[in-house]
Amino acid sequence: MTAAISQRAANVQQHATTVIPRRSSAASVAPPRRAIGGTSRQDAMALAGAAVSSLCTTMLLFGRLTPLSGRLGFVIVWFLIFLGIYAALLSLTEDRPAVVDRVMAALLTSASVLAGGALASVIIFVLWRGRTALVHSNFFTQDLSVTGPSEPLNVGGITHAIAGTLIMTAISLVLTVPLGVACAVYLNETSSRATGLVRTVVTAMTALPSILAGLFIFATWVLILGFPRSGLAASIAMSIMMLPIIIRSADVVLRLVPGNLREASAALGAPQWRTVWQIVLPTARSGLTTAVILGVARGVGETAPVLLTAGFTNTMNMNPTTSPMVSLPLTAFKLVSAAEPNLIARGFATAAVLMLLVLILFTAARVLGGRPVGRLTKRQARAATAQSARDRLRIDAMSSSANRVPQEMS
Amino acid sequence: MDVMTSIPGVAAANAPAPQPRELHAHPGRGDRYFNRGASLSGLTVLSVMAAVGIFLGIQAWQALKATGFSFLTTAEWQPDTNKFGIAEVMLGTVLIALVAGIVAFPIAMSAALFITEVAPKWLRSSLVALVDLMAAVPSVVYGLWGLFLLQGQVVGVSRWINTWFGWIPFFAVDGADPNNPLAAATVYTASTLVAGIVVAMMVMPIQCVVMREVFSQVPIGEREGAFALGSTRWGMIRVVSIPFGRGGIIGGTMLGLGRALGETIAVLLIISPVFQINFHVLQQGSNSVSSLIALRYSESSDFSLSALMAAGLVLFGATLVVNFTASWFVARSRSGASSEA
């Protein structure tokens, strides 16, 4: 554009008397676009320089100049010195607001890295300490009934805890899923006046400390009603923890179902229960699944309620109603509370198995819940199309029979 | 108006204005059952939840009646000799929660701001998933990590803080000798600080989720306005994001504290329980209501169980107050109208 203008100016100059000063060729080139994002080379250099020089200073402080020691202390001192040097380097070229901006960005970033690093260190540490027990296949095929505390790791395993966790989770699911989803439907689909109260109480119950759920079941189910401490009692305690979580997540999901779907269903003459059963719940299916999985992920990891209600055993027990039954977190807790190194290694391995289980559940919840409410997968879309085609045939058949007796239509 | 053509509605213009048609819904049998069933499930949930609170109250009554007001001021826990109270355990619980809050708050806030403002777009959803994952890791796993890895690292920092800031009463440690570099580190282990840091790992994601939710709702116009006036990114965060999200920041922090008050297993693994008032956060020995219950629940006598119930009731009350205050803060903030929690 600028080049064309200067060309025209040159043409004009030949005929007119006014003299336009010839532009230098440099000025006619469009100025380079100003970078508005990203990091410049100078920034990167300042960052790297500050990191290196602060590392050197800290090593000097810890190794030569002062009697400081400790890994955690080293990192803290390094970070503080880094911030100071980084700010000083930036202030050579930038004004104060820019320096503050960069330093704060560095702070926010490093706090996030700290959080992520802590999570990574938790996962890696537990896997690392559990590795000696995890590599033996008998860890997944035997229980601890005949294994003494100091026996080597190629004897004994945690099948009893895995089975216990699965049984307790299954019972809790049977108890919580119908009740939780029905309660969420009650909160969203009925016009009862008590919904506000129920919602408040459910919100309050998400705050219930898990140990109190265990204490409640211990005092009622075990002491007053006289049932033994068992997998069933632990499942009920777990259910009390899971129920509010499931209800609240399901409540949020049902609220996201578009109201015009309900209205369309009602306008077509469907009674309310059919609207809920065939429109609202299927629309929210993936979100409801996520709600349930999140509840399970929370329930599986609960130790305190199980500690009070399940009793403790080292043998395989498939019967949840009579004798003690353990879960993965409880086993991990009990094993590391012992002082035997082999038992501690088993405890870490149990915790690692538990962590992987939660990780799998969590990934499943993300995959299923990544889909917005009402958006169908390809398979669901094909099924829905086929169903509409069948409906079309049915309606066609009905209307062709109705055409023969048109009086009935009016 | 001279109307030639007769319009059906106008003819009745002189008649009184038509009343709105009354709408009657006659629910069929299916809908009546549906409504009854739904209400029944709501009532069931309500009664289960209420039963927990009411039952705790009834069971605790026996112990509370026996001690009266001194239940709140006694530090010992000997229900058999009728000398028990929650002064110490409640203090320990609150101190652990406070340490957790002080450690977790800056990290949660920074992580929330990092996710919404600083991180590149492609990274955001994975960071959000990472924070959610942190909240899902079972507390026994954090407890193991704290006991076997973190404690050894924190001891050095504890010693340093005690050496230089030991004159502040909170950081004093009985039996520690800063002039003796070879002194055993055991006085610094199993302390409130270590337990608090571990609980902070569990509290941080809860706080971060609420704060991120709030920061992501900052009106785009106000953000762009700040940039248009020449603000840097931090300037925009300071004058737009943080004031906008103040309710969420306070509410999220308190929600995390509510969780910290009730944490059991991680605390139980790390602390070594004591029954004397201990303000010193760096010193070995602490206690909390939930770990007290976990340690003593199997005591056979009815009365000591009632005493534990009373302690649990106080803990429950405290978490309820903290959580409802948090919800109130979130709901009345500018951004709270549509956010959860």
Side-chain angles (χ1 to χ4, degrees):
Chain A
M1 179 75 89
T2 354
I5 291 171
S6 66
Q7 182 66 42
R8 198 179 303 152
N11 289 341
V12 165
Q13 199 188 359
Q14 287 171 356
H15 305 287
T17 50
T18 43
V19 177
I20 298 173
R22 188 173 288 273
R23 295 187 178 187
S24 68
S25 61
S28 67
V29 177
R33 233 180 113 80
R34 199 156 59 99
I36 53 169
T39 42
S40 70
R41 195 160 140 262
Q42 199 172 8
D43 286 350
M45 296 289 274
L47 202 61
V52 172
S53 73
S54 57
L55 177 64
C56 297
T57 315
T58 318
M59 281 163 76
L60 205 59
L61 277 180
F62 271 67
R64 295 292 160 110
L65 299 181
T66 57
L68 293 170
S69 65
R71 245 179 296 169
L72 197 59
F74 184 89
V75 174
I76 293 172
V77 171
W78 179 17
F79 181 67
L80 292 178
I81 294 179
F82 162 76
L83 279 185
I85 293 181
Y86 186 50
L89 275 181
L90 285 171
S91 63
L92 294 179
T93 50
E94 311 282 347
D95 54 358
R96 220 179 71 89
V99 173
V100 173
D101 178 53
R102 302 283 159 74
V103 171
M104 287 315 290
L107 264 180
L108 296 184
T109 313
S110 39
S112 311
V113 170
L114 174 69
L119 178 64
S121 108
V122 168
I123 293 175
I124 292 170
F125 177 72
V126 170
L127 285 175
W128 179 252
R129 287 291 297 262
R131 77 191 185 287
T132 46
L134 280 174
V135 293
H136 296 289
S137 64
N138 59 284
F139 190 68
F140 301 98
T141 55
Q142 300 175 3
D143 59 18
L144 284 173
S145 51
V146 292
T147 313
S150 55
E151 277 194 70
L153 291 170
N154 55 14
V155 190
I158 52 159
T159 34
H160 59 303
I162 296 177
T165 287
L166 292 181
I167 292 172
M168 285 180 201
T169 311
I171 297 176
S172 309
L173 278 179
V174 169
L175 291 174
T176 52
V177 169
L179 193 56
V181 173
C183 185
V185 166
Y186 167 72
L187 290 178
N188 272 285
E189 305 292 326
T190 64
S191 49
S192 164
R193 252 166 295 159
T195 49
L197 176 66
V198 173
R199 197 171 268 140
T200 311
V201 170
V202 168
T203 311
M205 276 302 151
T206 51
L208 180 74
S210 59
I211 189 92
L212 292 185
L215 190 62
F216 171 67
I217 294 299
F218 178 70
T220 52
W221 187 262
V222 179
L223 292 185
I224 294 182
L225 296 177
F227 292 104
R229 298 164 92 196
S230 64
L232 183 62
S235 307
I236 300 174
M238 263 165 74
S239 301
I240 292 182
M241 292 311 294
M242 285 162 64
L243 199 54
I245 298 172
I246 293 181
I247 293 175
R248 281 195 42 161
S249 334
D251 182 27
V252 173
V253 171
L254 290 186
R255 217 181 294 162
L256 291 176
V257 174
N260 52 12
L261 285 182
R262 292 190 188 94
E263 285 162 15
S265 167
L268 288 170
Q272 201 189 1
W273 66 271
R274 287 198 76 136
T275 308
V276 169
W277 186 248
Q278 296 196 312
I279 307 294
V280 175
L281 291 182
T283 308
R285 189 192 291 149
S286 71
L288 290 176
T289 318
T290 310
V292 170
I293 293 178
L294 288 180
V296 171
R298 178 75 192 274
V300 159
E302 286 291 357
T303 322
V306 183
L307 173 72
L308 266 62
T309 52
F312 187 74
T313 176
N314 274 330
T315 51
M316 186 72 164
N317 170 25
M318 300 294 274
N319 182 353
T321 52
T322 51
S323 38
M325 183 187 259
V326 288
S327 68
L328 284 170
L330 180 60
T331 313
F333 173 70
K334 290 279 187 182
L335 285 175
V336 296
S337 304
E340 285 290 331
N342 277 350
L343 287 186
I344 291 178
R346 287 197 186 98
F348 269 100
T350 313
V353 171
L354 172 68
M355 207 171 56
L356 291 179
L357 182 67
V358 170
L359 208 65
I360 291 169
L361 284 173
F362 186 77
T363 315
R366 291 294 299 184
V367 169
L368 289 168
R371 195 170 288 282
V373 167
R375 191 75 49 83
L376 301 178
T377 61
K378 271 187 184 154
R379 223 180 86 211
Q380 286 171 327
R382 271 205 303 276
T385 316
Q387 180 63 42
S388 339
R390 278 197 296 279
D391 286 348
R392 172 87 192 279
L393 286 177
R394 194 165 53 85
I395 292 167
D396 282 350
M398 273 168 64
S399 59
S400 65
S401 68
N403 280 339
R404 267 177 262 136
V405 274
Q407 294 86 343
E408 279 183 24
M409 291 300 282
S410 57
Chain B
M1 208 196 293
D2 189 22
V3 181
M4 300 298 287
T5 47
S6 83
I7 299 169
V10 178
N14 296 339
Q19 294 293 315
R21 197 158 59 99
E22 278 188 30
L23 290 175
H24 280 296
H26 292 290
R29 194 191 295 164
D31 273 358
R32 281 203 300 275
Y33 286 141
F34 165 76
N35 267 313
R36 242 172 262 165
S39 306
L40 191 68
S41 70
L43 278 181
T44 312
V45 170
L46 190 65
S47 50
V48 167
M49 301 299 168
V52 179
I54 293 169
F55 182 82
L56 277 179
I58 293 173
Q59 292 277 302
W61 181 246
Q62 193 190 357
L64 286 177
K65 205 172 55 183
T67 56
F69 186 73
S70 70
F71 183 69
L72 294 177
T73 53
T74 311
E76 287 161 87
W77 192 265
Q78 287 159 344
D80 299 329
T81 58
N82 217 352
K83 281 181 77 179
F84 61 97
I86 51 162
E88 200 287 324
V89 282
M90 207 59 208
L91 175 76
T93 309
V94 171
L95 276 181
I96 290 174
L98 277 183
V99 171
I102 289 168
V103 174
F105 172 74
I107 300 178
M109 178 117 170
S110 308
L113 284 173
F114 179 78
I115 292 173
T116 48
E117 308 290 349
V118 182
K121 282 218 168 56
W122 52 269
L123 196 61
R124 277 181 202 172
S125 65
S126 10
L127 286 174
V128 171
L130 209 66
V131 172
D132 289 347
L133 178 65
M134 266 187 103
V137 171
S139 63
V140 68
V141 173
Y142 282 126
L144 291 186
W145 175 79
L147 180 61
F148 287 90
L149 179 68
L150 184 74
Q151 180 154 287
Q153 306 295 322
V154 170
V155 164
V157 177
S158 292
R159 191 200 300 264
W160 185 82
I161 296 176
N162 176 242
T163 309
W164 295 99
F165 299 98
W167 47 273
I168 302 173
F170 273 107
F171 296 140
V173 173
D174 297 335
D177 180 11
N179 298 322
N180 177 6
L182 297 175
T186 45
V187 286
Y188 300 109
T189 57
S191 64
T192 308
L193 179 71
V194 182
I197 294 177
V198 173
V199 174
M201 289 285 290
M202 291 171 245
V203 164
M204 195 287 279
I206 296 174
Q207 298 180 336
C208 183
V209 166
V210 178
M211 292 182 195
R212 183 184 56 77
E213 182 96 352
V214 171
F215 289 142
S216 66
Q217 289 169 356
V218 174
I220 192 88
E222 291 177 27
R223 292 165 50 105
E224 306 272 301
F227 284 135
L229 288 171
S231 164
T232 56
R233 184 168 52 196
W234 170 248
M236 189 281 290
I237 291 172
R238 204 166 53 86
V239 299
V240 177
S241 291
I242 293 180
F244 177 84
R246 192 178 293 130
I249 295 170
I250 300 173
T253 309
M254 294 188 71
L255 268 185
L257 282 184
R259 172 81 193 271
L261 288 176
E263 183 47 48
T264 311
I265 288 298
V267 175
L268 186 60
L269 271 172
I270 287 168
I271 60 164
S272 56
V274 293
F275 284 97
Q276 45 183 297
I277 300 281
N278 178 9
F279 275 109
H280 307 157
V281 292
L282 303 179
Q283 186 180 325
Q284 180 178 38
S286 177
N287 218 332
S288 78
V289 176
S290 46
S291 56
L292 170 78
I293 296 174
L295 283 173
R296 300 289 183 94
Y297 73 99
S298 54
E299 289 175 2
S300 52
S301 97
D302 272 356
F303 187 71
S304 56
L305 198 66
S306 167
L308 287 181
M309 292 278 187
L313 188 70
V314 174
L315 174 67
F316 186 39
T319 36
L320 270 190
V321 168
V322 168
N323 272 47
F324 274 121
T325 320
S327 311
W328 183 75
F329 266 113
V330 175
R332 76 183 270 283
S333 67
R334 238 184 92 194
S335 51
S338 58
S339 77
E340 289 305 316

